[in-house]
């Protein structure tokens, strides 16, 4: 078994990323099968609990207030609406429920209290509950943990060098600070990025280098292909090549063997054959449901068919957790 390392050099990662594609897939598939059940793919569901009107300027994002997109601003949803959506997700086979809010950062106000209630409710249902709410302080992370939050998603998105070409309203260090606060609160870390934003291969390698050199690897790394949205500065970006998606997934799998690598945004444009190569290369999770946060995703029936054809089985919740689902018994709503 290869050891888990967090001292990868950029050159080593570059060498892996640039292997001939079939050698790369063979290597990453081998690592994947050493550490994971290769038939198992976790099905997760996303819900945008507060949509649009965000003050940040992330060039890819349809929810930034400054770009004119079709996204309608929606205030924070009610707790019972969210619980209903989580129940539907659970009933259709999801074991992780991720709530997203178009916030720059969490504020200590009534809305945050409501999110804490949502977290308690979803956790009580026995699902892994994840949030992505923007920047967090250590205290806010602790409150989320106490409410039963299992994971926090906060993407690095790209390399440190490319960052200010995509976002100017916050820094890479802001992002790393939040990830640190999440770690300190003992919440599992979900952090990855987007390809297809005009970055170079070295930028992608740089992002993987930062992620794989964090003190503990993120338990979860989403790999998104940009979904170009009309009205955003990146609306005319060409579709990213499937081979680049596979290279990202395979390299992430080799350098972070235990991590859940999530085939995230962009599946709507991928065939079952293309997705099969992503799973072979080490992706072991998808987002299901006909919408991601605001953009389209494959139909549930199409994914069911894919699972059948590829002989995949949905992964149970809390599989790798040291404290499997015990906490949710204890938190009264
Ligand atoms: N506001 C919070 C934040 O930025 O952390 C949480 C929500 S934000 C929409 C979550 C992630 O979605 C972003 O970090 C980005 O990686 C991804 N994302 C947003 N728009 C996307 C797009 N058009 N294509 C692919 N991924 C996208
Ligand atoms: C992640 O990396 N991808 C998901 C999840 N984390 C929150 C979000 C993708 C959003 C795609 C654009 C949209 O639907 O608004
Ligand atoms: Fe706001 Fe998050 Fe979209 Fe950036 S990615 S504009 S922070 S919702």
């Amino acid at each position: 078994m290869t050891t888990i390392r967090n001292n990868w050099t950029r050159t080593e990662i570059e060498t892996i990323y640039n292997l001939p594609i079939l050698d790369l897939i063979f290597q990453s598939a081998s690592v994947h099968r050493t550490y994971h059940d290769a038939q198992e793919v976790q099905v997760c569901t996303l819900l945008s609990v507060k949509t649009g009107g965000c003050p940040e300027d992330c060039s890819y994002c349809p929810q930034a207030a400054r770009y004119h997109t079709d996204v309608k601003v929606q205030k924070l949803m009610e707790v019972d609406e969210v619980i209903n959506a989580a129940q539907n997700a659970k009933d259709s086979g999801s074991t992780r429920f991720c709530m997203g809010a178009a916030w720059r950062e969490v504020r200590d106000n009534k809305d945050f209290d409501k999110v804490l209630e949502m977290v308690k409710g979803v956790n009580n249902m026995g699902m892994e509950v994840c949030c992505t709410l923007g920047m967090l302080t250590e205290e806010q992370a602790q409150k989320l943990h106490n409410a039963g939050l299992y994971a926090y998603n906060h993407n690095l998105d790209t390399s440190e060098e490319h960052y200010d070409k995509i976002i100017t309203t916050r820094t890479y260090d802001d992002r790393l600070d939040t990830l640190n606060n999440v770690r300190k609160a003992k919440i599992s870390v979900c952090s990855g990025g987007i390809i297809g934003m005009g970055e170079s291969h070295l930028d992608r390698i740089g992002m993987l280098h930062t992620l794989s050199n964090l003190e503990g690897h993120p338990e979860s790394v989403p790999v998104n292909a940009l979904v170009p949205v009309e009205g955003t500065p990146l609306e005319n970006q060409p579709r990213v090549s499937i081979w680049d998606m596979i290279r990202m997934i395979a390299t992430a799998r080799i350098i972070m063997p235990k991590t859940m690598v999530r085939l995230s945004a962009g599946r709507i444009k991928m065939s079952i054959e293309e997705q099969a190569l992503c799973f072979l290369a080490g992706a072991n999770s998808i987002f299901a449901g006909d919408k991601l946060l605001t953009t389209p995703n494959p139909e549930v029936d199409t994914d069911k068919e894919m699972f059948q054809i590829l002989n995949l089985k949905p992964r149970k919740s809390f599989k790798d957790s040291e404290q499997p689902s015990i906490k949710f018994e204890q938190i009264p709503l």
Side-chain angles (χ1 to χ4, degrees):
M1 208 182 252
T2 44
T3 48
I4 308 286
R5 291 178 47 192
N6 60 357
N7 60 353
W8 292 99
T9 64
R10 273 195 190 218
T11 317
E12 283 175 312
I13 299 175
E14 191 180 351
T15 306
I16 296 171
Y17 182 94
N18 286 320
L19 280 171
I21 190 73
L22 295 180
D23 293 344
L24 176 59
I25 296 174
F26 180 75
Q27 269 200 32
S28 67
S30 310
V31 172
H32 188 48
R33 278 146 206 266
T34 307
Y35 286 88
H36 301 268
D37 175 345
Q39 277 188 327
E40 217 174 61
V41 170
Q42 185 173 30
V43 181
C44 315
T45 297
L46 284 166
L47 178 68
S48 181
V49 296
K50 187 269 166 183
T51 308
C54 183
E56 300 276 65
D57 70 351
C58 314
S59 322
Y60 49 77
C61 187
Q63 303 198 64
R66 66 192 71 203
Y67 310 135
H68 300 286
T69 67
D70 282 344
V71 168
K72 306 235 165 357
V73 177
Q74 270 183 322
K75 67 174 179 49
L76 188 66
M77 287 172 71
E78 295 305 326
V79 178
D80 56 351
E81 286 178 278
V82 173
I83 301 300
N84 282 341
Q87 187 63 51
N88 288 339
K90 186 178 174 183
D91 293 344
S92 68
S94 272
T95 54
R96 185 165 170 124
F97 190 70
C98 180
M99 300 181 276
W103 288 334
R104 170 182 161 73
E105 76 258 300
V106 166
R107 306 245 169 99
D108 296 298
N109 57 17
K110 289 239 163 59
D111 275 358
F112 184 41
D113 294 340
K114 235 161 121 177
V115 170
L116 293 173
E117 287 306 307
M118 294 170 188
V119 170
K120 280 184 199 167
V122 179
N123 182 50
N124 270 341
M125 292 166 46
M127 295 179 93
E128 293 175 17
V129 48
C130 175
C131 277
T132 180
L133 313 168
M135 291 183 263
L136 282 185
T137 64
E138 198 180 335
E139 291 71 32
Q140 290 163 341
Q142 196 58 54
K143 282 188 185 166
L144 284 163
H145 174 74
N146 295 344
L149 188 77
Y150 185 74
Y152 196 78
N153 166 252
H154 200 66
N155 289 340
L156 291 181
D157 282 335
T158 189
S159 67
E160 182 162 16
E161 294 77 14
H162 193 63
Y163 204 71
D164 64 3
K165 296 183 189 69
I166 302 296
I167 301 151
T168 68
T169 49
R170 58 169 189 256
T171 65
Y172 216 60
D173 279 342
D174 290 333
R175 265 344 234 186
L176 292 168
D177 285 347
T178 294
L179 290 179
N180 202 18
N181 291 338
V182 169
R183 265 274 171 260
K184 281 195 260 179
K186 301 205 161 39
I187 297 170
S188 133
V189 170
C190 174
S191 187
I194 308 177
I195 64 168
M197 305 192 295
E199 72 287 340
S200 65
H201 292 288
L202 281 179
D203 286 314
R204 297 173 187 170
I205 290 158
M207 181 185 82
L208 290 173
H209 180 241
T210 306
L211 289 170
S212 64
N213 279 264
L214 292 173
E215 213 173 288
H217 292 164
E219 285 79 2
S220 159
V221 171
V223 180
N224 297 278
L226 176 75
V227 180
V229 179
E230 211 183 311
T232 63
L234 297 180
E235 64 182 351
N236 292 322
Q237 279 296 313
R239 186 193 159 194
V240 73
S241 148
I242 187 66
W243 304 113
D244 288 6
M245 208 52 193
I246 294 167
R247 279 191 190 280
M248 279 304 279
I249 289 169
T251 309
R253 170 54 66 227
I254 293 170
I255 63 178
M256 296 176 278
K258 283 191 173 170
T259 294
M260 296 293 295
V261 177
R262 303 189 194 269
L263 172 57
S264 303
R267 285 200 307 119
I268 188 83
K269 296 273 188 216
M270 293 180 198
S271 66
I272 292 185
E273 292 86 337
E274 289 173 334
Q275 295 180 62
L277 283 171
C278 295
F279 298 129
L280 183 63
N284 57 352
S285 171
I286 57 164
F287 289 109
D290 53 13
K291 210 155 75 160
L292 289 164
L293 289 171
T294 66
T295 63
N297 199 39
E299 298 288 335
V300 174
D301 284 350
T302 314
D303 281 343
K304 289 225 160 94
E305 192 192 329
M306 175 172 78
F307 268 59
Q308 267 174 8
I309 295 172
L310 302 180
N311 245 304
L312 300 175
K313 56 181 189 208
R315 177 183 161 111
K316 295 204 167 61
S317 49
F318 302 106
K319 195 174 169 212
D320 282 344
S321 170
E322 280 159 25
Q323 286 185 297
S325 64
I326 40 166
K327 264 193 330 174
F328 69 83
E329 305 288 359
Q330 299 161 357
I331 301 171
L333 255 189

